[in-house]
Amino acid sequence: MCGIVGYIGKRKAYPILIKGLHRLEYRGYDSAGVALINEQGQLNIYKAKGKVSQLEAFAADKDTGGTIGIAHTRWATHGEPNTVNAHPHYSESERLAIIHNGIIENYAVLKAGLMQEGYTFRSETDTEVLVQLIEYTQLNKHVDLKTAVQLALQQVVGAYAIAILDKDHPNTLIAARKGSPLVVGIGENEYFVASDATPIVEYTDQVIYIEDEEVVVLKPSAVSHQPSDIEITTINNVVKTPEIKRLELSLSQLEKGGYPHFMLKEIFEQPRTLADSMRGRVNVRQDNIALSGFIDNKERFLNASRIIITACGTSWHAGLIAMYAIEEFAQIPVEVEYSSEFRYRKPVIHKDDVVIAISQSGETADTLAAIQLAKSKGAFIFSICNVVGASIPRLSDSGCYTHVGPEIGVASTKAFTAQVVALTMLALCIGREKKTISEDKYLTIVRELGQIPDKIERVLNSNKRIGDFAKTFTYAQNFIYLGRGYNYPVAMEGALKLKEISYIHAEGYPAAEMKHGPIALISQEMPVVVVAPHCGTYEKVVSNIQEIKARQGKVIAIVTEGDQLVSRIADYTIEIPATEECLTPLLTVIPLQLLAYHIAVVKGCDVDQPRNLAKSVTVE
């Protein structure tokens, strides 16, 4: 959840760390801090409540010298957001400094034991407990810092990605992880540590993904690009051989490219990102879909008695759409589970089950724990993920990368549509192999998939109009979103987007359920967004709209081009091109993304960094 970055090498560390924090700020922005060892061997820590810009202002007149440092941008778990609870944290002697992403679940027990030994604590955080424990272990066991880190982490219950400085050893940076992501970048006689690759890509494309319970020791004297010169051991001191990977990420992907917000840029990127996601997989000329993750494990899918989809948030909505597609085309029962509930409710899992895990970051803590549980029961794990080398795809038996590039805006947009495309392709592959979908239907959908990027481009032409009428709805305190069939999950996704970035309460419902309670809320002050493409249960949705209008409700409708009926009833309509019903979510969600965006902008909300949220939920 938090963002961590570290540097050791020959350059001045502070500018690298600050730039890295800005790139990681989507992971948390309650507070920020930096620790540096200067040329005189002093360990300086500077912290500020709020965003990274507040830290920069605070440190403007401070000593920021040194070629080694660590920095942190926080999403608060233990302790309110303030300067004292901000990272980095000193040890008792102020010799060590630590930054941490994760949660130490048994911190209270550890803290009580350290207090009995005379240790005092400045903050309310679990992180300060860890740095105190490391120092206590080093002093009482008479061991070096690496060994102290190993021994201390053996006592820890929970998740962590940490980086540690020791002012008595200014040429060494130590890092470790369990459950929270950590990547090491290898430059020319310099090293970088970060939560993800975004702060590293400017300096190197050579990285090592640190595995669970591994401790890495980095020294600038090591020869670059030699994995044997980087010391990696487990917390039990088993020596590991590092494997260097090449980053597939460009600096331009991390910039706004002239857009006012990353979210708007990412909405408008969707024609290209979906084309990228389908490239090499959807062959329209040959009327074929080829997914290597399915082809290599065909029998597991064909013999599956059940498919379980597990995910959180927006990815869960993508999973609901997949349920409709898989059951329709492959005739396999599907259950869609919130990962946070699935992992704790003692689910019945069989060895012939296929579990599909969906996560943009590949590091979502609950989803990671859910697939670990399913794997322990013998289920086959297939993941849909965007970040190459992340924990979830590494733990999975097979999977499919979405290849949409980094998504910086906290509210997911292009990742959602890419997940829906990947899952739809998988459903079609299974169905064709099982012969549970007709060849004509299969070919029609494959050809239509190839048209989706162009059709999204047409929907995006509605941006200005949506922006104009969005101003009308900034007064609203509540919204209802309605949809049916494939577009019921889209209604929930649209409501989630509005909640996330505009702070307006919104709920998504199946349109037919409106009469079972929500209709009581309808009034002139209650805007209702209805997803009503001309397919499936269109006539029934029209009846729902008429019921809303009879009660003076304001209706925004998403309709198919040329629609006459809904357009006469609704207050505002946004048109999408006609397509196959199973593909309509890829088009209907675009206006909902734009609507949420424009309402939030008019309200003056921070679109890319909404309050209380972070991009990657790597803690419970």
Side-chain angles (χ1 to χ4, degrees), residues 454-459 461-462 532-534 558-564 567 574-579 587:
D454 289 339
K455 291 188 176 184
I456 290 177
E457 200 78 64
R458 286 160 59 185
V459 179
N461 290 332
S462 301
H534 203 291
I558 314 301
V559 300
T560 304
E561 287 175 344
D563 182 285
Q564 297 294 319
S567 297
I574 307 161
E575 293 189 337
I576 64 164
T579 189
L587 303 181

Side-chain angles (χ1 to χ4, degrees), residues 255-269:
E255 306 298 336
K256 291 179 184 174
Y259 287 90
H261 300 94
F262 278 110
M263 182 179 179
L264 188 62
K265 176 195 175 194
E266 288 158 5
I267 291 172
F268 271 81
E269 283 180 337

Side-chain angles (χ1 to χ4, degrees), residues 314-481:
T314 285
S315 296
W316 186 77
H317 296 152
L320 287 176
I321 295 170
M323 177 182 70
Y324 285 90
I326 293 170
E327 291 193 340
E328 178 180 354
F329 303 140
Q331 297 291 292
I332 300 173
V334 178
E335 297 174 12
V336 185
E337 301 269 4
Y338 281 117
S339 299
S340 54
E341 291 297 312
F342 180 72
R343 62 180 292 198
Y344 285 118
R345 68 170 182 81
K346 296 181 174 60
V348 177
I349 303 169
H350 301 116
K351 291 184 178 179
D352 59 354
D353 287 336
V354 170
V355 174
I356 300 176
I358 314 171
S359 168
Q360 187 281 139
S361 67
E363 302 292 349
T364 309
D366 286 320
T367 305
L368 189 57
I371 64 173
Q372 287 171 328
L373 170 63
K375 196 165 188 173
S376 72
K377 304 288 187 181
F380 179 79
I381 311 298
F382 187 91
S383 60
I384 306 288
C385 181
N386 185 38
V387 180
V388 176
S391 298
I392 287 173
R394 293 209 307 269
L395 188 64
S396 301
D397 298 300
S398 184
C400 175
Y401 285 115
T402 52
H403 296 302
V404 300
E407 189 177 65
I408 306 301
V410 167
S412 184
T413 53
K414 64 179 181 177
F416 171 76
T417 49
Q419 289 167 353
V420 172
V421 164
L423 290 158
T424 302
M425 291 190 294
L426 179 62
L428 291 168
C429 287
I430 302 170
R432 191 186 206 190
E433 198 67 35
K434 288 187 69 181
K435 296 182 171 32
T436 48
I437 181 175
S438 72
E439 191 68 6
D440 284 346
K441 183 72 170 176
Y442 174 86
L443 295 176
T444 299
I445 297 172
V446 170
R447 292 164 190 159
E448 188 60 27
L449 264 174
Q451 299 299 313
I452 287 296
D454 289 339
K455 291 188 176 184
I456 290 177
E457 200 78 64
R458 286 160 59 185
V459 179
L460 290 169
N461 290 332
S462 301
N463 178 52
K464 184 179 184 305
R465 182 166 170 275
I466 295 170
D468 289 341
F469 76 68
K471 300 171 187 175
T472 307
F473 295 100
T474 54
Y475 71 86
Q477 295 182 318
N478 301 279
F479 264 75
I480 291 178
Y481 286 67

Side-chain angles (χ1 to χ4, degrees), residues 43-61:
L43 175 58
N44 296 314
I45 291 182
Y46 307 121
K47 304 191 284 188
K49 180 182 177 181
K51 297 189 176 184
V52 176
S53 56
Q54 269 85 21
L55 171 64
E56 285 184 278
F58 177 75
D61 59 350

Side-chain angles (χ1 to χ4, degrees), residues 121-407:
F121 291 84
R122 303 172 176 89
S123 75
E124 304 168 86
T125 68
D126 55 335
T127 302
E128 187 184 4
V129 175
L130 183 54
V131 72
Q132 302 282 42
L133 178 63
I134 291 169
E135 182 172 85
Y136 172 79
T137 303
Q138 186 177 16
L139 294 175
N140 282 270
K141 299 290 185 180
H142 305 289
V143 293
D144 61 21
L145 183 58
K146 184 198 82 169
T147 305
V149 170
Q150 292 171 320
L151 294 174
L153 293 178
Q154 290 174 25
Q155 302 178 57
V156 163
V157 176
Y160 54 80
I162 59 172
I164 305 166
L165 297 183
D166 180 350
K167 73 175 183 178
D168 290 348
H169 297 278
N171 295 314
T172 303
L173 191 158
I174 294 179
R177 72 151 281 187
K178 179 184 178 183
S180 294
L182 191 68
V183 60
V184 172
I186 306 168
E188 292 295 329
N189 205 29
E190 61 184 354
Y191 297 100
F192 309 83
V193 174
S195 302
D196 61 47
T198 53
I200 291 173
V201 65
E202 182 174 348
Y203 309 102
T204 181
D205 63 355
Q206 305 293 303
V207 298
I208 298 169
Y209 296 102
I210 306 304
E211 302 287 349
D212 273 357
E213 297 192 336
E214 288 185 348
V215 178
V216 57
V217 179
L218 303 171
K219 297 183 180 181
S221 58
V223 178
S224 63
H225 301 292
Q226 296 296 318
S228 60
D229 293 328
I230 300 172
E231 182 185 350
I232 300 179
T233 57
T234 69
I235 61 174
N236 295 310
N237 207 34
V238 177
V239 176
K240 308 290 283 188
T241 302
E243 183 181 356
I244 296 178
K245 305 272 190 176
R246 187 174 182 276
L247 278 179
E248 296 181 4
L249 182 66
S250 67
L251 190 58
S252 64
Q253 291 176 302
L254 305 178
E255 306 298 336
K256 291 179 184 174
Y259 287 90
H261 300 94
F262 278 110
M263 182 179 179
L264 188 62
K265 176 195 175 194
E266 288 158 5
I267 291 172
F268 271 81
E269 283 180 337
Q270 287 173 105
R272 177 185 60 79
T273 56
L274 291 193
D276 289 344
S277 191
M278 290 187 279
R279 185 171 290 112
R281 293 166 171 169
V282 177
N283 189 326
V284 177
R285 291 183 179 178
Q286 295 181 8
D287 297 324
N288 187 47
I289 295 174
L291 282 181
S292 59
F294 169 75
I295 294 168
D296 296 341
N297 302 279
K298 191 182 302 181
E299 296 305 315
R300 292 305 301 256
F301 286 96
L302 299 183
N303 295 324
S305 59
R306 175 180 61 161
I307 291 176
I308 301 170
I309 298 175
T310 183
C312 301
T314 285
S315 296
W316 186 77
H317 296 152
L320 287 176
I321 295 170
M323 177 182 70
Y324 285 90
I326 293 170
E327 291 193 340
E328 178 180 354
F329 303 140
Q331 297 291 292
I332 300 173
V334 178
E335 297 174 12
V336 185
E337 301 269 4
Y338 281 117
S339 299
S340 54
E341 291 297 312
F342 180 72
R343 62 180 292 198
Y344 285 118
R345 68 170 182 81
K346 296 181 174 60
V348 177
I349 303 169
H350 301 116
K351 291 184 178 179
D352 59 354
D353 287 336
V354 170
V355 174
I356 300 176
I358 314 171
S359 168
Q360 187 281 139
S361 67
E363 302 292 349
T364 309
D366 286 320
T367 305
L368 189 57
I371 64 173
Q372 287 171 328
L373 170 63
K375 196 165 188 173
S376 72
K377 304 288 187 181
F380 179 79
I381 311 298
F382 187 91
S383 60
I384 306 288
C385 181
N386 185 38
V387 180
V388 176
S391 298
I392 287 173
R394 293 209 307 269
L395 188 64
S396 301
D397 298 300
S398 184
C400 175
Y401 285 115
T402 52
H403 296 302
V404 300
E407 189 177 65

Side-chain angles (χ1 to χ4, degrees), residues 467-468 470-474 596-605 607:
D468 289 341
K471 300 171 187 175
T472 307
F473 295 100
T474 54
Y597 170 80
H598 285 294
I599 290 175
V601 168
V602 174
K603 289 188 67 180
C605 301
V607 172

